[in-house]
Amino acid sequence: MTMIFGVPLAVFMGQLMLGLINGAFYALLSLGLAVIFGLLKIINFAHGAQYMLGAFAAMLALEYLGINYWAALLLVPLVVGALGVVIERLVLRRIAHLDHLYGLLLTYGLALILEGTLINIFGVSGSSYPTPEALLGGLNLGFMFLPTYRAWVLVAALVVCVGTWFVIERTRLGAYLRAGTENPALMQAFGVNVPQLITLTYGFGVALAAFAGVLAAPLYPVSPTMGSSLLIVVFAVVVIGGMGSILGAVLTGLAMGLIEGLTKVYYPEAANTVIFLVMILVLLLRPAGLFGKEA
Amino acid sequence: MTFNRKTLASSIALAAATLVASSAQAQMSDDELRIGYLADMSGTYRDLAGPGGLEALKMAVEDFGGEVNGVPIEVFSADDRNSADVGANTVRGWIDQESVDLVAGMVASSVSIAVSKLLEEAGGLAIISGSAASSITNEHCTPNHIHWVYDTYPLANGTAKAVVDQGGDTWFMLTADYAFGHALEADVTKVVEENGGEIVGGVRHPFPTSDFSSYILQAQGSGAKIVGLANAGSDTVNAIKTASQFGLVQSGQQLAGLLIFLNDVHAMGLESTQGLLLTTGWYWDMDEQSREWAERYFERVGSMPTMVQAGVYSSTMHYLNAVDEADTDESQAVRAQMAATPVEDFFSRNGYIREDGRMVHDMYLAEVKSPDESTGEWDLYTIKSTIPADEAYRPLSESQCKLVQN
């Protein structure tokens, strides 16, 4: 059998595939963070909690309202995104003129409140969310058994990432957004409602987190703490990619998934730290991140 | 004169009564018996002990009548946040300011070891219900604590031996990369090899890990019949869930969970856990007595008790009986009284407290039911066999405990 650095080719291919899937997931989460930071300059530490809310909302919707997975995939991001709009209107707007650090602390506080409240109501063990029937089973790729649901996660995450990148970088709406954050006064003079644009952007970033949450619900136990463990990794991805760079977030997300996957084969003990090692290296060599613009 | 005589008589009676009362109270160190419940109330181990364990403790105090030897029993609690520092500081405060008589609960082994060292210096008493490390009554034993519910020794001994006996002789180990995982892996390896099995591979994963797909793929590639999970809590839950998605069981391999609690199985659902073998110190539905208590607990808490929560009740009741019997709250006298009394209640069968502080009792090998077999939300296990008390735990002849004369 062909070996790659002591690992059979089939196993190696399987690990690359899994790395890519995890990477797509990281990309989706870091994309939301990058959109919010890039356009609003808010370091959204509540992103993990909003992702968790997405998964929880999907679970509760199924349990109490009988709303199935496919409907949840559309509805939950809308509902959680609307909550994001409320948060932006009520609190974030009031500190918009202050240093970034205040936004970070405020959103971190929000995340702790959300998490603590849900822990008190639901406990920490979490519950399971059934995989939708159409996506049960798996494909035999020859080198591995790929559960259909994971393949779907890869496709769905990539489609949303590319779509978001396209809207922001290639459409008129995206141009307004970028211009609005560069020079709000000028845009307002042109008759563009900049505060509304900002509110909607935050809501959209939050909706992306919630979408990732719904995607994650059948994969991991739905628990109030599911976001906090992931958030740090996702932040590392955003820093490596360059804070605020949309393309950077997506490409780095995919790359980090692959690097982490390979570490799991060759030196599993380091799998949780390898991303941070990369982050240190990148910060030393390119402080603005791989795709970031020097300030 | 009649009046004077009456006054005199009642004065004497009053004086006598006061004397009797104070002589009864002289055995108790202050005018209350104080029990502090220390556990993870908000983190990873909340559901297996946490607020539910506190409720179980309160049930025991209420069932006992709320007072012992004429003094009321007071219960208070604190969150140790799974930190040995926080736990030890809390208990130090309890000793200095609250003159606590018993520390109950305790989950993270690091907290239990730190607190028992502290109590050894201060002369207090603890009953540990949630911790897993068998070292708590081995190299870390003290005359000041008792370990009640289970430990890593029967977990390995029970599950691994049963699995090898059933033909599962090649193992792949999925181990959490920290002290607890390593200890459990070592115990399992020993049991598997002693019983004619072989460890063909393994992977040590970081703690905690949310994505197990890569490790499950490696386990599938190993060709081992059994995938042993030497981890706990959310790691075990994630590993089992992922194994189910990748069709590990369908492709002919079997999972062996080494530390799994009722709340874990409940959270994962039977679809992904069916057929899983595990060792437990107690199960709510194992007989009439346990069911009766569990249903009372359920009414107050809204979920069925784990073995830890049941153990908190059982140990508190045993402690209160000993205080009553010994007529004192002095820790060594109470401990001696507890050790002199067999532990037979809804929780423990053939139980007794050994000189190393281990409460030895029957353990059980359980199998998780399939969704078809289960008749309700909490109908989760079938008890396959009983591991007799004296076979379950580390024999005293192998003990490194300083209290044991080998």
Side-chain angles (χ1 to χ4, degrees):
Chain A
M1 195 187 296
T2 324
M3 302 287 266
I4 298 199
F5 304 118
V7 172
L9 180 67
V11 175
F12 185 83
M13 294 290 288
Q15 298 294 350
L16 280 188
M17 191 71 205
L18 290 176
L20 203 63
I21 294 170
N22 280 342
F25 206 71
Y26 289 156
L28 185 59
L29 274 168
S30 15
L31 176 68
L33 274 179
V35 167
I36 292 173
F37 182 79
L39 303 177
L40 277 67
K41 304 290 176 233
I42 292 170
I43 303 170
N44 187 29
F45 249 74
H47 211 70
Q50 286 152 349
Y51 154 80
M52 175 270 285
L53 271 188
F56 251 96
M59 189 191 76
L60 295 177
L62 180 73
E63 206 165 305
Y64 294 106
L65 306 172
I67 294 175
N68 74 12
Y69 173 83
W70 302 104
L73 212 49
L74 283 175
L75 287 177
V76 167
L78 285 178
V79 172
V80 180
L83 185 75
V85 165
V86 174
I87 291 174
E88 203 279 334
R89 276 281 155 101
L90 288 183
V91 284
L92 290 178
R93 176 161 299 179
R94 290 169 206 279
I95 57 154
H97 58 286
L98 297 174
D99 190 87
H100 299 170
L101 214 52
Y102 289 88
L104 184 154
L105 291 173
L106 193 128
T107 47
Y108 184 54
L110 278 177
L112 289 180
I113 293 171
L114 274 174
E115 215 176 80
T117 311
L118 287 177
I119 285 178
N120 267 324
I121 303 173
F122 297 100
V124 287
S125 302
S127 332
S128 61
Y129 186 92
T131 308
E133 258 179 48
L135 300 174
L136 281 173
L139 319 162
N140 196 342
L141 300 182
F143 55 87
M144 72 177 290
F145 174 86
L146 178 66
T148 317
Y149 189 79
R150 298 216 174 218
W152 153 249
V153 167
L154 177 63
V155 174
L158 284 182
V159 166
V160 171
C161 285
V162 172
T164 306
W165 172 83
F166 184 82
V167 168
I168 291 177
E169 301 289 343
R170 292 282 181 274
T171 64
R172 182 174 290 261
L173 177 70
Y176 280 163
L177 269 178
R178 283 178 285 131
T181 50
E182 285 288 317
N183 194 337
L186 187 67
M187 285 307 283
Q188 223 136 9
F190 280 127
V192 176
N193 188 343
V194 175
Q196 195 174 43
L197 214 53
I198 286 183
T199 307
L200 289 177
T201 308
Y202 186 75
F204 177 69
V206 174
L208 279 178
F211 180 76
V214 184
L215 277 186
L219 286 180
Y220 308 118
V222 179
S223 132
T225 53
M226 66 191 284
S228 46
S229 46
L230 201 59
L231 184 69
I232 301 299
V233 175
V234 174
F235 260 104
V237 169
V238 174
V239 170
I240 296 168
M243 292 290 291
S245 161
I246 309 280
L247 189 66
V250 176
L251 293 182
T252 316
L254 288 171
M256 289 308 114
L258 286 176
I259 289 178
E260 200 186 51
L262 292 180
T263 315
K264 282 176 178 171
V265 188
Y266 291 105
Y267 192 64
E269 287 88 339
N272 277 11
T273 25
V274 65
I275 290 183
F276 300 100
L277 290 176
V278 175
M279 183 176 84
I280 292 171
L281 270 178
V282 168
L283 285 180
L284 284 176
L285 299 173
R286 274 185 70 95
L290 294 177
F291 297 83
K293 301 181 193 82
E294 299 285 346
Chain B
M1 282 308 280
T2 344
F3 172 75
N4 274 348
R5 205 179 277 169
K6 243 189 198 164
T7 320
L8 187 67
S10 49
S11 307
I12 291 170
L14 188 68
T18 320
L19 209 68
V20 171
S22 63
S23 76
Q25 283 190 357
Q27 304 296 319
M28 305 298 281
S29 55
D30 35 49
D31 51 3
E32 268 184 335
L33 186 77
R34 301 199 172 113
I35 305 178
Y37 175 82
L38 181 71
D40 177 8
M41 301 294 265
S42 56
T44 323
Y45 302 136
R46 178 188 188 274
D47 293 356
L48 69 94
L54 178 61
E55 205 54 35
L57 201 164
K58 287 180 176 163
M59 273 174 79
V61 170
E62 282 169 30
D63 290 352
F64 194 78
E67 58 168 42
V68 58
N69 290 345
V71 303
I73 304 163
E74 198 206 339
V75 174
F76 42 88
S77 67
D79 188 347
D80 63 23
R81 305 160 69 93
N82 292 324
S83 148
D85 271 355
V86 174
N89 281 332
T90 307
V91 171
R92 192 169 290 125
W94 283 354
I95 294 169
D96 293 346
Q97 289 142 32
E98 316 264 358
S99 53
V100 67
D101 295 298
L102 173 71
V103 181
M106 286 189 285
V107 189
S109 297
S110 53
V111 177
S112 300
I113 291 167
V115 168
S116 54
K117 291 248 172 341
L118 184 74
L119 290 173
E120 187 176 22
E121 289 162 24
L125 189 63
I127 306 175
I128 296 161
S129 289
S131 299
S134 62
S135 61
I136 287 173
T137 54
N138 198 28
E139 62 263 39
H140 297 301
C141 79
T142 77
N144 300 79
H145 70 272
I146 295 169
H147 198 180
W148 204 264
V149 177
Y150 73 105
D151 65 39
T152 46
Y153 195 89
L155 295 182
N157 209 19
T159 314
K161 187 171 180 307
V163 170
V164 178
D165 284 350
Q166 291 180 5
D169 52 1
T170 49
W171 284 59
F172 182 91
M173 292 300 295
L174 206 56
T175 305
D177 193 18
Y178 71 112
F180 154 74
H182 297 180
L184 196 50
E185 183 193 89
D187 285 349
V188 170
T189 305
K190 189 164 162 267
V191 173
V192 169
E193 285 171 356
E194 274 173 6
N195 288 281
E198 190 194 350
I199 307 285
V200 295
V203 56
R204 288 189 168 171
H205 66 79
F207 164 77
T209 290
S210 59
D211 184 68
F212 276 85
S213 48
S214 177
Y215 307 127
I216 292 297
L217 208 61
Q218 291 177 47
Q220 279 182 313
S222 74
K225 288 184 195 162
I226 305 295
V227 179
L229 305 175
N231 48 23
S234 60
D235 280 343
T236 311
V237 172
N238 281 327
I240 294 175
K241 208 162 172 179
T242 311
S244 151
Q245 286 159 9
F246 281 80
L248 185 110
V249 176
Q250 287 85 333
S251 62
Q253 288 174 302
Q254 203 186 350
L255 286 170
L258 296 159
L259 179 49
I260 292 181
F261 293 95
L262 189 74
N263 58 299
D264 295 333
V265 174
H266 183 254
M268 286 181 279
L270 296 179
E271 198 59 58
S272 46
T273 51
Q274 53 183 311
L276 191 70
L277 286 168
L278 58 97
T279 303
T280 187
W282 183 79
Y283 175 53
W284 73 269
D285 199 14
M286 62 188 204
D287 62 22
E288 198 47 54
Q289 248 186 313
S290 60
R291 260 192 302 277
E292 190 261 335
W293 182 81
E295 273 153 18
R296 279 205 297 136
Y297 174 95
F298 185 86
E299 272 169 34
R300 294 172 66 129
V301 179
S303 57
M304 277 299 173
T306 62
M307 59 169 162
V308 174
Q309 288 149 348
V312 169
Y313 180 100
S314 157
S315 60
T316 307
M317 206 43 131
H318 196 70
Y319 169 78
L320 292 175
N321 280 319
V323 172
D324 190 31
E325 230 15 72
D327 199 17
T328 177
D329 61 1
E330 196 278 315
S331 64
Q332 287 313 303
V334 176
R335 189 187 196 272
Q337 179 63 41
M338 288 174 78
T341 320
V343 190
E344 281 294 335
D345 58 12
F346 78 95
F347 171 84
S348 152
R349 307 283 175 278
N350 305 313
Y352 63 94
I353 296 164
R354 289 195 316 204
E355 52 197 296
D356 59 350
R358 180 66 250 171
M359 201 284 270
V360 163
H361 59 106
D362 288 357
M363 297 285 291
Y364 306 92
L365 184 72
E367 185 177 357
V368 176
K369 289 190 172 178
S370 72
D372 299 337
E373 287 171 294
S374 170
T375 56
E377 191 190 355
W378 291 95
D379 182 21
L380 303 173
Y381 297 172
T382 309
I383 301 289
K384 304 269 288 184
S385 61
T386 300
I387 310 159
D390 291 322
E391 285 174 30
Y393 289 91
R394 186 196 313 278
L396 282 178
S397 58
E398 288 174 21
S399 174
Q400 296 167 34
C401 169
K402 63 193 174 197
L403 306 169
V404 176
Q405 315 287 325
N406 281 326

